[in-house]
Amino acid sequence: MASMNAPPWLLVSALKNAFILYCSSVIVLPILSVFQEWRIWKSHLLPSLSSFGVLKVFLFNVIWMGFTLVGSLMLLPKYLLGKILGFDCQYEAHVVERTTALICYLCFISPKVEIRGIENLPPNDGSAPAPVFVANHASQVDLCVVYFLGRRFKWIAKDSVRYLPGVGLIMTLSQHVFIVRTGKNRKSVSNLYEKSNDAIQSGLPMFFFPQGTRRMAVRLPFKDGAYRVALENESQLIPVSIDIPLTCWNSWYPLCLLWGGSVDNVVLTVHKPIQAKGGIDKEELKKKTYEAIFSVVPLIGEEVGELKKRK
């Protein structure tokens, strides 16, 4: 009963402390992101992250979370007002996401992204049904390089991402689609298709990593989600290959620019659209996009070992 009669200043103080804790976590939680990226690169088939590489991953995530936090806090008043007056700030949130992605890439990975097959991108005219982009998923780097395509789209993200400082808030403002991956998630999966279909029919593309998780040394099979969405809406599937150089984290970039050193760029390849429509088998679509995406991604890891065995 006493807690219900707590003075207002106590509540204000508690909210202030919670806000400070939330903001300061942009320095702490990137440690978890470093661990996740380290696990990807710890394979004996890949170069392990160097000390400098670990530092770059950490700073990459600090800036990613920090910039999106500042941007989302600036947009929060408009978002809350829009709840009353009936508008949103999805486009402004996308601008924050894209700006942050470009800054993170240019500061820590390389001075440019090489884009091939850009003529295969569909018109950016907002017509419905919008296309469905599918790409391989190897590293955190994927999440920023795709913004170099100059397209606005919606992501599919696991539900826990919404609690990351900055990142979760800006994704909420952008109204990306969150999904619970484990346990009783039937409602979450149903929401995935409902929200994806709504976006497609409103002229806003969806972007899927059909492998479902990040892997550098192993090529995982594609899951069904993107293909079900494409078939239900008779959308074009746009396969995108992301070729990340094995030196992306361990290179001395950006310091190497001081002495004229070279650095390998990430290569994005946009393949010809594949039309999804009634009568086409989902497995056939998966096979076509899988073959297109990995046709230009160098063999590494288990594939290299298997290739050597065959020879």
Side-chain angles (χ1 to χ4, degrees), residues 29 35 72 74 82 90 107 132 136 138 166 199 221 251 256 261 267 283 294 302:
L29 288 181
F35 176 70
S72 56
M74 292 174 64
Q90 290 187 53
C107 285
V132 176
N136 56 308
S251 74
C256 65
V267 179
E283 294 302 317
F294 288 113
E302 291 183 355

Coordinates of all heavy atoms in Angstrom, one line a residue, residues 29 35 72 74 82 90 107 132 136 138 166 199 221 251 256 261 267 283 294 302:
L29 N 26.3 -4.1 -24.3 CA 25.7 -5.1 -25.1 C 26.5 -5.4 -26.4 O 26.4 -6.6 -26.9 CB 24.3 -4.8 -25.5 CG 23.3 -4.9 -24.3 CD1 21.9 -4.6 -24.8 CD2 23.3 -6.3 -23.7
F35 N 30.9 -11.5 -29.3 CA 31.0 -12.9 -29.1 C 30.3 -13.7 -30.2 O 30.7 -14.7 -30.7 CB 30.3 -13.3 -27.8 CG 30.2 -14.7 -27.5 CD1 31.4 -15.5 -27.2 CD2 29.0 -15.4 -27.5 CE1 31.3 -16.9 -27.0 CE2 28.9 -16.7 -27.2 CZ 30.0 -17.5 -27.0
S72 N 16.2 7.2 -33.0 CA 14.9 6.8 -32.6 C 14.3 7.7 -31.5 O 13.1 8.0 -31.5 CB 15.0 5.3 -32.1 OG 15.9 5.2 -31.1
M74 N 14.9 10.9 -31.2 CA 14.5 12.1 -31.9 C 13.1 11.9 -32.6 O 12.3 12.8 -32.7 CB 15.5 12.5 -32.9 CG 16.8 13.0 -32.3 SD 18.1 13.3 -33.6 CE 17.3 14.7 -34.5
G82 N 1.7 10.4 -33.7 CA 1.1 9.7 -34.8 C 0.1 8.6 -34.3 O -0.9 8.3 -35.0
Q90 N 7.7 5.7 -40.4 CA 8.4 4.6 -40.9 C 9.5 5.1 -41.9 O 10.6 4.6 -41.8 CB 7.5 3.7 -41.7 CG 6.5 2.9 -40.8 CD 5.7 1.9 -41.6 OE1 6.3 1.1 -42.3 NE2 4.4 2.0 -41.5
C107 N 33.2 3.2 -42.1 CA 34.1 3.5 -41.0 C 35.0 2.2 -40.7 O 36.1 2.4 -40.3 CB 33.4 3.9 -39.8 SG 32.9 5.7 -39.8
V132 N 10.3 -9.5 -53.4 CA 10.9 -10.2 -52.2 C 12.4 -10.4 -52.5 O 12.7 -11.1 -53.4 CB 10.2 -11.5 -51.9 CG1 10.8 -12.2 -50.7 CG2 8.7 -11.3 -51.6
N136 N 22.1 -14.5 -49.1 CA 22.9 -15.4 -48.2 C 23.2 -14.5 -47.0 O 23.3 -13.3 -47.0 CB 24.1 -15.9 -48.8 CG 25.0 -14.8 -49.4 OD1 24.6 -14.0 -50.2 ND2 26.3 -14.9 -49.0
A138 N 25.9 -14.3 -43.8 CA 27.2 -14.8 -43.3 C 27.7 -14.0 -42.1 O 28.4 -14.6 -41.2 CB 28.3 -14.7 -44.4
G166 N 18.5 1.1 -29.1 CA 18.6 1.8 -30.4 C 18.1 0.9 -31.5 O 17.1 1.3 -32.2
A199 N 2.8 -5.6 -46.3 CA 3.9 -4.8 -46.9 C 4.0 -4.9 -48.4 O 4.1 -3.9 -49.1 CB 5.3 -5.1 -46.2
P221 N 20.7 -24.8 -45.9 CA 19.6 -24.8 -46.8 C 18.6 -23.7 -46.5 O 18.6 -23.1 -45.4 CB 18.9 -26.2 -46.5 CG 19.3 -26.5 -45.1 CD 20.7 -25.9 -44.9
S251 N 41.5 -6.7 -41.4 CA 42.3 -5.7 -42.2 C 42.6 -4.5 -41.3 O 41.8 -4.2 -40.4 CB 41.6 -5.3 -43.5 OG 40.5 -4.4 -43.2
C256 N 44.8 1.8 -42.5 CA 45.7 1.6 -43.7 C 45.6 2.7 -44.7 O 46.5 2.8 -45.6 CB 45.4 0.2 -44.3 SG 43.8 0.1 -45.0
G261 N 47.5 1.9 -48.0 CA 47.3 0.4 -48.1 C 46.0 0.1 -48.8 O 45.1 1.0 -48.9
V267 N 31.3 -7.4 -52.2 CA 30.7 -7.4 -53.5 C 29.2 -7.8 -53.4 O 28.9 -8.9 -52.9 CB 31.4 -8.3 -54.5 CG1 30.7 -8.3 -55.8 CG2 32.9 -7.9 -54.6
E283 N 9.8 -25.6 -53.9 CA 11.1 -26.1 -53.9 C 11.9 -25.7 -55.1 O 13.2 -25.5 -55.1 CB 11.1 -27.7 -53.8 CG 10.5 -28.2 -52.5 CD 11.3 -27.6 -51.3 OE1 12.5 -27.6 -51.3 OE2 10.6 -27.2 -50.3
F294 N 24.6 -18.5 -54.8 CA 25.9 -19.1 -54.5 C 26.8 -19.3 -55.8 O 27.9 -19.7 -55.7 CB 25.8 -20.4 -53.8 CG 25.3 -20.2 -52.3 CD1 24.1 -20.6 -51.9 CD2 26.2 -19.6 -51.4 CE1 23.7 -20.4 -50.6 CE2 25.8 -19.3 -50.1 CZ 24.5 -19.8 -49.7
E302 N 33.3 -26.1 -45.6 CA 33.1 -27.5 -45.9 C 33.0 -27.7 -47.4 O 33.3 -28.8 -47.9 CB 31.7 -27.9 -45.3 CG 31.8 -27.9 -43.7 CD 30.5 -28.4 -43.1 OE1 29.5 -28.6 -43.9 OE2 30.5 -28.5 -41.9

